[in-house]
Amino acid sequence: MRVSALLMPTLREIPAEAEVISHKLLVKAGMIRKTATGVYTYLPLGWRVIRKIMHIIREEMDSSGGQEILMPIIQAAELWQESGRWDVYGAELFRLQDRHGRNFCLGPTHEEIITDLVRREVNSYKQLPLLLYQIQCKFRDERRPRFGLMRGREFVMKDLYSFDRDEAGLKISYAKMYEAYNKIFSRCGLKFRPVEADSGAIGGSTTHEFMVLANSGEAEIVYCTECDYAANVERAENTINNNKVNDAIKPRELLYTPGVKTIEQLVQFTKRTAESMIKTLFYEADGNLICVLVRGDREVNEIKLQNTIGCLELKLAEDEIIEKTTGALPGYVGPIGIKGVKVYADEEVQFVVNGIVGANKADYHYININYGRDFTADKIVDIRLVKSGDACPKCQAEMKSARGIEVGQVFQLGTKYSKSLGATYVDEQGQEYPLVMGCYGIGVSRTMAAAIEQNYDEQGIIWPLAIAPFHVIVIPVNIKDEGLMNLANQIYFDLQKAGVEVVIDDRDERAGVKFADADLVGYPYRITVGKKTLSQQTVDLKHRATGQEEIVELGSIVKRMQELVK
Ligand code: ATP
Ligand code: MG
């Protein structure tokens, strides 16, 4: 490819709306352009990266027994009504009508379509296991589309669905996919980690997310410093640290705390630790008011809370409702004496000795409160967020936290969709059973962005070799010098012939401009053809990732590049 002919509109300025580095660099390097919020066109270089990731995915899916298909983007509402998701998927579903007023949606995921296909076409145990996948654009009207390709409203996804006769079969398919995902992200050159994840309010089944480790990641994970335990904080289990303080139980007192509302202020004011305080929060769970207690140094894990209650919608209650129920506003509310509200306390709350809570009276707190004597909960559960420093639930060693970008998720669905849609098979005895399903997604376009979040510097992108748009760029420093241009062209042709993916920057630009663009785009290697090439028959070969420069003889540059990209 000749850069003079390449549609690669690099920019000097970064668009103001771009918050994360992948978004900034993808736009700046002329790889993507926005057409609407969360909707992008992939330009030639960007699309080459996507195609490379898709190629790696296809190889690994095929070698794991997957068969590629392509399902429609437009899905009929009837199928979603059958599965029960038409009403619960909510505003994220792009809905539309045809000219006859029939309802459709743009596929955010394809469980309904594939289960419909399989219920028609598969009926015998002999056809199992069956692994079908596709790579396609998905549509989700995200609440907050942002960060460029990281959270789009239209994005490229690979989705595979497995069909087995029983749980044991599902476990095998799941293990295959788990393994394939490890291979895919390793081959993409990414630092990642599979973590245990939450399966949502309705599920209860096993699921893992594949997280690319990057500070800009929206997800927080914890991992053990000793064993292999790693989990999304939404899911991570806690161990009860029951180092109960052995202080003598003191009588409860009312304390005047004017203007002291937050835990921080309370720590300052009372000179006691946040661990000795109890945070009281009120939520509305599917419209019902509930009270939630966690220790002062803890945060509520809303996912766990939602799973505990089994509700679909959970949100913090409005101040007026809290005031009506407790007689006070947030900052002064507490569990003592409240009525008609179910109380959920985190496990640690019961071990707080002589603690502090709001007194349900403006400007007052209670001190020296104790679980059992002063208040109780309807349910004691693990509803706190794990944090760095907590003990590993598997081996008790210390856990650390990190941020991650979810690039893939594998999920044991079980019979959720096969039962609602009636997808069954008959076994050797002619007995009919529902198919046991798994689903496995990879965000292809998000993976491209995640690769940049992990690999960049001041100058631009540093593509891992396996997913770089091209392996190498040849830069003749002066295209007006005929002898030099001839040599550069010769190298370009020879590399092409040798199977190295190469571009030549044949633009009439200053060498500095070409170098800057090459660094911005992030080609793993750069060959400079300059004066020395003519006088000494050598070229400069620069490694983008390390900055290392080699002087290579003209006669060996092809061989050297072949070695490097092998
Ligand atoms: P998230 O929690 O980030 O919204 P999700 O769990 O809803 O994602 P899945 O349904 O598991 O997403 O989809 C499979 C994969 O598709 C995800 O692991 C992610 O890599 C990718 N993906 C999901 N939503 C988006 C999006 N809005 N933009 C780009 N990629 C996405
Ligand atoms: Mg997911």
Side-chain angles (χ1 to χ4, degrees):
M1 188 75 220
R2 295 185 174 274
V3 175
S4 61
L6 184 62
L7 181 62
M8 184 195 72
T10 55
L11 303 175
R12 295 290 147 230
E13 298 294 318
I14 292 168
E17 58 172 19
E19 292 171 68
V20 296
I21 194 71
S22 61
H23 189 188
K24 288 177 187 167
L25 290 177
L26 282 168
V27 174
K28 199 171 175 214
M31 295 197 179
I32 61 166
R33 283 294 182 265
K34 183 172 107 172
T35 71
T37 303
V39 183
Y40 294 86
T41 295
Y42 301 90
L43 300 182
L45 289 178
W47 186 244
R48 280 185 73 95
V49 176
I50 295 281
R51 283 180 45 185
K52 293 222 169 154
I53 300 171
M54 295 197 297
H55 180 70
I56 293 173
I57 293 175
R58 285 198 168 98
E59 283 192 348
E60 296 302 334
M61 290 298 105
D62 293 348
S63 70
S64 313
Q67 301 176 53
E68 185 168 355
I69 60 172
L70 184 61
M71 289 180 271
I73 285 166
I74 295 195
Q75 309 188 6
E78 284 78 15
L79 281 175
W80 284 70
Q81 280 151 358
E82 245 188 281
S83 75
R85 282 210 288 188
W86 185 256
D87 294 324
V88 295
Y89 211 91
E92 217 170 276
L93 199 60
F94 271 108
R95 295 162 207 256
L96 66 161
Q97 286 191 334
D98 71 4
R99 64 174 74 204
H100 308 294
R102 291 194 197 102
N103 288 316
F104 290 85
C105 66
L106 302 181
T109 176
H110 278 66
E111 282 82 9
E112 281 79 1
I113 297 274
I114 198 129
T115 311
D116 177 50
L117 174 85
V118 168
R119 75 176 163 186
R120 292 164 197 271
E121 311 305 334
V122 173
N123 38 47
S124 161
Y125 70 94
K126 289 182 195 151
Q127 295 165 284
L128 303 175
L130 183 63
L131 282 71
L132 298 171
Y133 78 96
Q134 63 172 350
I135 301 180
Q136 180 198 54
C137 278
K138 294 282 191 274
F139 298 82
R140 294 184 186 179
D141 196 359
E142 297 272 355
R143 187 193 300 269
R144 286 191 70 194
R146 56 182 184 157
F147 301 158
L149 298 187
M150 297 259 259
R151 188 168 293 284
R153 295 199 293 171
E154 170 173 341
F155 57 96
V156 184
M157 197 207 280
K158 183 284 301 181
D159 43 331
L160 183 142
Y161 304 86
S162 67
F163 297 86
D164 280 281
R165 49 188 299 171
D166 50 25
E167 284 289 325
L170 170 60
K171 293 252 148 52
I172 294 169
S173 295
Y174 188 83
K176 270 192 197 156
M177 282 301 121
Y178 186 93
E179 186 55 38
Y181 275 39
N182 275 310
K183 284 197 187 138
I184 288 164
F185 297 119
S186 301
R187 284 182 62 186
C188 287
L190 300 172
K191 288 187 279 296
F192 67 97
R193 187 136 200 184
V195 303
E196 288 182 14
D198 178 73
S199 58
I202 311 136
S205 39
T206 304
T207 175
H208 288 86
E209 288 164 343
F210 284 75
M211 295 286 188
V212 162
L213 304 173
N215 289 334
S216 56
E218 288 184 281
E220 191 179 349
I221 64 165
V222 284
Y223 58 93
C224 180
T225 49
E226 293 290 329
C227 74
D228 64 356
Y229 182 79
N232 189 318
V233 289
E234 291 179 346
R235 148 88 196 191
E237 290 154 41
N238 283 297
T239 31
I240 305 183
N241 183 3
N242 178 14
N243 43 6
K244 192 167 176 159
V245 187
N246 279 325
D247 287 356
I249 306 273
K250 296 180 186 160
R252 179 170 100 204
E253 284 173 40
L254 200 59
L255 184 69
Y256 182 51
T257 51
V260 178
K261 289 182 181 170
T262 63
I263 293 286
E264 241 170 62
Q265 293 167 340
L266 205 53
V267 167
Q268 287 238 326
F269 188 85
T270 61
K271 305 278 178 273
R272 297 209 192 175
T273 62
E275 283 89 342
S276 73
M277 299 171 184
I278 292 168
K279 260 188 219 171
T280 309
L281 297 130
F282 288 88
Y283 283 91
E284 270 179 61
D286 290 342
N288 299 317
L289 191 67
I290 58 160
C291 171
V292 176
L293 308 175
V294 289
R295 228 169 53 182
D297 60 321
R298 292 289 188 177
E299 302 297 330
V300 175
N301 183 334
E302 295 185 350
I303 301 284
K304 279 189 194 167
L305 179 60
Q306 197 168 352
N307 291 346
T308 301
I309 303 168
C311 65
L312 287 174
E313 211 199 344
L314 182 78
K315 57 171 205 234
L316 281 167
E318 305 283 339
D319 284 0
E320 299 101 79
I321 299 174
I322 298 175
E323 197 176 13
K324 236 169 86 189
T325 313
T326 66
L329 283 170
Y332 297 106
V333 293
I336 299 178
I338 55 163
K339 289 201 181 72
V341 186
K342 214 165 171 186
V343 179
Y344 293 83
D346 179 66
E347 297 161 325
E348 286 174 347
V349 165
Q350 51 186 327
F351 304 118
V352 173
V353 177
N354 298 327
I356 303 180
V357 294
N360 293 328
K361 184 174 170 187
D363 292 336
Y364 283 92
H365 281 83
Y366 280 123
I367 57 168
N368 301 332
I369 55 103
N370 291 282
Y371 187 84
R373 183 191 70 184
D374 302 297
F375 69 102
T376 53
D378 297 290
K379 229 174 169 177
I380 291 189
V381 272
D382 168 11
I383 42 171
R384 64 196 179 280
L385 267 182
V386 171
K387 58 184 184 191
S388 187
D390 280 355
C392 168
K394 256 185 168 175
C395 77
Q396 309 303 312
E398 190 182 316
M399 293 200 291
K400 286 219 165 95
S401 70
R403 300 209 70 85
I405 302 166
E406 180 198 325
V407 287
Q409 183 161 20
V410 290
F411 207 103
Q412 296 186 11
L413 284 172
T415 54
K416 180 167 178 234
Y417 295 92
S418 52
K419 275 192 178 146
S420 57
L421 291 161
T424 59
Y425 73 96
V426 290
D427 72 357
E428 293 84 335
Q429 277 75 45
Q431 210 26 63
E432 193 174 346
Y433 295 100
L435 288 156
V436 182
M437 291 173 60
C439 69
Y440 315 84
I442 291 182
V444 179
S445 40
R446 187 184 280 182
T447 300
M448 169 170 169
I452 299 174
E453 294 294 328
Q454 215 172 50
N455 302 283
Y456 68 93
D457 64 11
E458 294 268 279
Q459 276 65 51
I461 305 169
I462 306 175
W463 289 112
L465 183 66
I467 60 172
F470 287 91
H471 298 141
V472 58
I473 181 165
V474 175
I475 300 187
V477 295
N478 178 6
I479 65 158
K480 297 208 177 84
D481 185 326
E482 207 177 311
L484 200 143
M485 229 11 232
N486 283 341
L487 279 178
N489 274 320
Q490 195 57 52
I491 296 171
Y492 170 62
F493 289 130
D494 290 347
L495 285 172
Q496 254 183 350
K497 248 190 281 165
V500 176
E501 295 174 20
V502 55
V503 290
I504 182 166
D505 196 344
D506 58 342
R507 294 176 301 171
D508 188 8
E509 290 281 0
R510 282 182 299 114
V513 170
K514 296 185 185 181
F515 291 152
D517 275 352
D519 281 352
L520 174 61
V521 168
Y523 305 100
Y525 301 101
R526 181 180 94 193
I527 294 171
T528 307
V529 182
K531 287 218 176 66
K532 263 192 295 179
T533 316
L534 285 174
S535 60
Q536 297 166 18
Q537 300 290 298
T538 60
V539 290
D540 284 340
L541 170 61
K542 187 167 182 192
H543 299 227
R544 177 72 180 86
T546 58
Q548 180 198 342
E549 289 196 51
E550 295 177 38
I551 296 170
V552 183
E553 301 211 352
L554 255 187
S556 7
I557 186 65
V558 172
K559 206 172 124 248
R560 179 69 184 128
M561 277 314 303
Q562 278 182 309
E563 274 167 23
L564 288 170
V565 305
K566 197 165 55 196

